[in-house]
Amino acid sequence: MSNSNFTRRGVIKSGAIAGAGVALPTIFTASSAAAYTNEPTGGSVTFGFNVPQTGPYADEGADELRAYELAVEHLNGNGDGGMMNTFSSKSLKGNGILGNKVEFVTGDTQTKSDAARASAKSMIEKDGAIMITGGSSSGVAVAVQGLCQEAGVIFMAGLTHSNDTTGKDKKANGFRHFFNAYMSAAALAPVLSKLYGNDRKAYHLTADYTWGWTQEESIKAASEALGWETINAVKTPLAQTDFSSYIAPVLNSGADVLVLNHYGGNMVNSLTNAVQFGLREKVVNGKNFEIVVPLFSRLMARGAGENIKGILGSTNWHWSLQDEGSKAFVKSFGTKYGFPPSQAAHTVYCQTLLYADAAERAGTFNPCGIGEALEGFEFDGLGNGKTLYRADDHQCFKDVLVVRGKENPTSEFDILEVVEVTPAEQVTYAPDHPMFAGGALGNCNPGA
Amino acid sequence: MLGLNKKDFSLLLVVAALTLFAPFILNPFPEGSGMAQFNAGYPDLMQRFVIFGIFAIGFNILLGLTGYLSFGHAAFLGVGSYSAVWMFKLLSMNVIPAILLAVVVSGLFALVIGFISLRRSGIYFSILTLAFAQMSFNLAYSVLTPITNGETGLQLTLNDPRVLGQSATADGSIPVTSLFGLEMRSTFEMTLGPWLFQFNAGYYLCALILLLSFYLSIRIFRSPFGLMLRAIKSNQTRLNYTGLNARPYTLAAFVISGMYAGLAGALMASMDPLAGAERMQWTASGEVVLMTILGGAGTLIGPVLGAGFIKYFENIFSKINDTVLHGWFEFMPDGLENLIVGILHPFIGKGWHLTLGLLFMLVVIFLPGGLVEGGQRIAKLFRRKKPDDAGDNAQSTPAE
């Protein structure tokens, strides 16, 4: 190695060190000034919308993104204000949040924990997002919730139905508006008993992963409490597309109810197979054979087409509800996009509003302040009636809808009819319920 | 120097300089400017660049030298991640034991899979490794849930024993990964005028390990062992006829590259203590193949470039949405603005796969040697006086 080469490097090196030395004072001022991660400066605040834009839940993700954009529009005082006008808390003025204009960044979770965390991390580290929201799968929601806890930002969960999100994997910085598997089961049980009687024999097909298991566990517990008998519960691989080999044994099992603990494409395929096998026309033990799909969504129902008619399930919200909040939301969503919103769109819109309102009431974006403002917060006017954000596990408690596939749909969106609105008291459980035990919220983490 | 010839040593120096100054190089645009969207100099992405660089370097030892195309390398990455997270759960939050265990476990795993898969070569080998990886993925997703926590992924909790560390910090949160007290997530921010540069402890640990892995890979490429592996690639039958048993060599290469993958998995878990089953899916295995081919299989630096290229697209292009586009083309008349945004729409945001696919096709068709060949062609334009040198390079494996 020659000497001249060495000195040139030396010059560059010492230059860099000198530059760093000059900049050093600013480093300390920069890091000590922030009281919490990504404290907004300069009159704007950034939200991170982390939804699946590719993969099996891309439909839900796209609808969520529409609702987020609508919520940001309303928060900044554009559009007709939507549910901000019907929301029981009146802190939001349509001038952003605490005078800061709301901006947002989007990312693709690909319905993979890794990609979702990478995307959320880049929002926090690069774009300075103060709050992350989204998710269309419980695994992703739990993973991103953990990340937000570590990084010190708030996570407002989107479409996640597993008990674990606010059960054993709950976190102090994470909040869920959507209902869960236990609530689905608790809401369905009385309706099942009323429509199908108390001496049924059930056969479960369950998607073989966390959500499927908690769903199966919840439904089993609720239906067995009615007096139903569980004949068999079979786990199906998540990637399965043809369920014929799983449906055939149902025919000779002596069961008279089939419970499909499937979601998304899985449910569309398994239901279609079940109908093709003529299960709906069968009479077993002197009773009509019935099919139950515990978690329904309109997007799924559309995929299943004709087969969905008369099938019972539960849902968080439906656009045909006639309360003021729902009507206002459907109107502003419909005006902007030309079709009614799905339950995924509804829950993320509510979550964005709830976050903004909490920040406004707390007077700060500090995650700990927001946590305090949301814990035990009671509100109304967001389409689900009176709702409580419980402090013990950051889960919302509200009415659950039991729905059925419509026999005579009038449009491609009018597929489900509401059979019963199960009141919140019936689906409420103790925070230390065995299905939710094993986790701890920990303390709120403001980061920095 | 360091047992390398001058050319390799200067290559090592270039890589060292690139990784050392990455926070500057990857952040060329000032904060708040329109182009800041394209900055990649934030800790998470920089960590990903070097971690996947390590993964691809290891993969290249197998594909580039022996020519065996493994379609199941993500399994080793996943095994490494799971081992590392278990170390964080049971032992302590120090990354050293986690990395060591991960490398050992993935090495053993590679030994078993390699022993079976290497009985065949060519497409049969690829399919066998693919089958093993898919098997690992499905096991991790459902049957092995007590170990892997299934779809949710293995995470740290407040109830973990952590016998050498603490279950929870004084303020009741989960402790963070560290290297003897130096927190992996701690970031040093430097503001220079409108620019903001972030120096992250975890990134520099990964970068240091990348340099070591890169150095080791150069030594393997230049060693008699490396030469033997190249002989296997060029004609295995001939090698067999000369009385040499090729299998121990291929097995060794397979295990080494499996250990590299395990190392990368452990580093991923060290930077972000979570291990998910998707890490083992076949698409993840395919990704490292793409990285290596895109950068230039059989070259030293190619895989690192390819890894950076793909991760950049995944993280930067997927985040450009229509609102951002409208921001860029604001100055145009409304109709034209909407037209341009409409044309670009399929290529950004959720369409990043499409853009990447197009670029991959362009590279494979016009630069069969990968990005490295592109670099060589550019270099040749500036250095026309030494054509012999370039010809010599092309005949043997291009080294830079």
Side-chain angles (χ1 to χ4, degrees), chain B residues 153-206:
Chain B
L154 193 59
Q155 294 194 41
L156 305 178
T157 69
L158 289 168
N159 313 329
D160 296 329
R162 277 189 272 284
V163 285
L164 292 185
Q166 47 186 7
S167 289
T169 56
D171 61 354
S173 48
I174 299 171
V176 295
T177 52
S178 65
L179 178 71
F180 302 110
L182 173 68
E183 289 188 4
M184 287 295 103
R185 68 167 187 201
S186 63
T187 302
F188 198 68
E189 292 188 345
M190 183 168 112
T191 320
L192 269 183
W195 281 273
L196 174 73
F197 300 111
Q198 306 186 42
F199 303 90
N200 176 270
Y203 166 72
Y204 278 104
L205 177 73
C206 295

Side-chain angles (χ1 to χ4, degrees), chain B residues 4 144 173 222 242 308 351:
Chain B
L4 303 177
L144 292 180
S173 48
R222 301 288 176 250
T242 56

Side-chain angles (χ1 to χ4, degrees), chain B residues 127-284:
Chain B
I127 294 298
L128 276 173
T129 50
L130 176 65
F132 274 114
Q134 260 321 78
M135 202 163 81
S136 315
F137 165 68
N138 281 320
L139 286 175
Y141 214 90
S142 58
V143 182
L144 292 180
T145 295
I147 303 175
T148 61
N149 203 17
E151 180 228 15
T152 309
L154 193 59
Q155 294 194 41
L156 305 178
T157 69
L158 289 168
N159 313 329
D160 296 329
R162 277 189 272 284
V163 285
L164 292 185
Q166 47 186 7
S167 289
T169 56
D171 61 354
S173 48
I174 299 171
V176 295
T177 52
S178 65
L179 178 71
F180 302 110
L182 173 68
E183 289 188 4
M184 287 295 103
R185 68 167 187 201
S186 63
T187 302
F188 198 68
E189 292 188 345
M190 183 168 112
T191 320
L192 269 183
W195 281 273
L196 174 73
F197 300 111
Q198 306 186 42
F199 303 90
N200 176 270
Y203 166 72
Y204 278 104
L205 177 73
C206 295
L208 186 70
I209 294 178
L210 172 84
L211 282 181
L212 292 176
S213 324
F214 191 66
Y215 173 70
L216 187 63
S217 137
I218 301 182
R219 292 301 298 262
I220 290 175
F221 266 65
R222 301 288 176 250
S223 69
F225 171 68
L227 204 61
M228 184 61 84
L229 296 181
R230 282 213 181 94
I232 293 169
K233 182 182 186 179
S234 56
N235 196 335
Q236 195 172 351
T237 322
R238 190 185 296 162
L239 207 63
N240 286 338
Y241 279 136
T242 56
L244 267 165
N245 184 4
R247 200 173 301 151
Y249 292 96
T250 47
L251 186 59
F254 191 82
V255 171
I256 290 172
S257 79
M259 286 164 85
Y260 266 88
L263 174 66
L267 285 175
M268 276 172 90
S270 304
M271 298 306 119
D272 183 6
L274 167 122
E278 304 95 10
R279 243 169 236 189
M280 304 171 116
Q281 216 175 354
W282 68 270
T283 47

Side-chain angles (χ1 to χ4, degrees), chain B residues 26-161:
Chain B
L26 294 172
N27 250 5
F29 308 110
E31 283 289 294
S33 71
M35 298 299 279
Q37 184 85 33
F38 290 106
N39 279 347
Y42 60 95
D44 182 59
L45 188 54
M46 290 195 293
Q47 287 163 5
R48 263 163 222 280
F49 283 161
V50 289
I51 290 172
F52 279 91
I54 294 170
F55 188 22
I57 289 174
F59 186 75
N60 192 37
I61 291 178
L62 186 69
L63 177 66
L65 287 181
T66 68
Y68 276 75
L69 175 60
S70 160
F71 252 108
H73 251 54
F76 307 124
L77 186 85
V79 168
S81 292
Y82 281 122
S83 329
V85 175
W86 271 111
M87 268 327 229
F88 295 139
K89 283 173 92 73
L90 299 178
L91 199 65
S92 80
M93 295 301 285
N94 196 328
V95 296
I96 298 292
I99 292 175
L100 289 180
L101 180 80
V103 172
V104 171
V105 172
S106 55
L108 291 175
F109 197 61
L111 189 67
V112 175
I113 291 188
F115 184 76
I116 301 169
S117 306
L118 285 165
R119 297 180 164 270
R120 292 283 171 268
S121 60
I123 185 80
Y124 304 102
F125 169 80
S126 303
I127 294 298
L128 276 173
T129 50
L130 176 65
F132 274 114
Q134 260 321 78
M135 202 163 81
S136 315
F137 165 68
N138 281 320
L139 286 175
Y141 214 90
S142 58
V143 182
L144 292 180
T145 295
I147 303 175
T148 61
N149 203 17
E151 180 228 15
T152 309
L154 193 59
Q155 294 194 41
L156 305 178
T157 69
L158 289 168
N159 313 329
D160 296 329

Side-chain angles (χ1 to χ4, degrees), chain A residues 158-163 176-185 187 294-296 314-317 343 347 395-396 398-401 427:
Chain A
L159 193 71
T160 156
H161 188 248
S162 169
N163 289 343
R176 170 161 71 177
H177 174 266
F178 205 65
F179 71 148
N180 59 37
Y182 176 90
M183 294 179 174
S184 279
L295 177 61
F296 249 166
S314 70
T315 181
N316 191 50
W317 178 83
Q343 61 170 352
T347 194
Q395 166 73 47
C396 265
K398 51 190 161 32
D399 303 347
V400 173
L401 306 181
V427 299

Side-chain angles (χ1 to χ4, degrees), chain A residues 259-292:
Chain A
V259 182
L260 295 174
N261 298 308
H262 287 151
Y263 189 70
N266 264 349
M267 173 266 171
V268 171
N269 291 326
S270 62
L271 181 63
T272 308
N273 283 153
V275 172
Q276 280 165 356
F277 270 75
L279 284 182
R280 302 289 310 280
E281 288 82 42
K282 252 175 95 75
V283 175
V284 183
N285 310 331
K287 296 185 269 288
N288 274 333
F289 196 96
E290 303 291 349
I291 301 176
V292 178

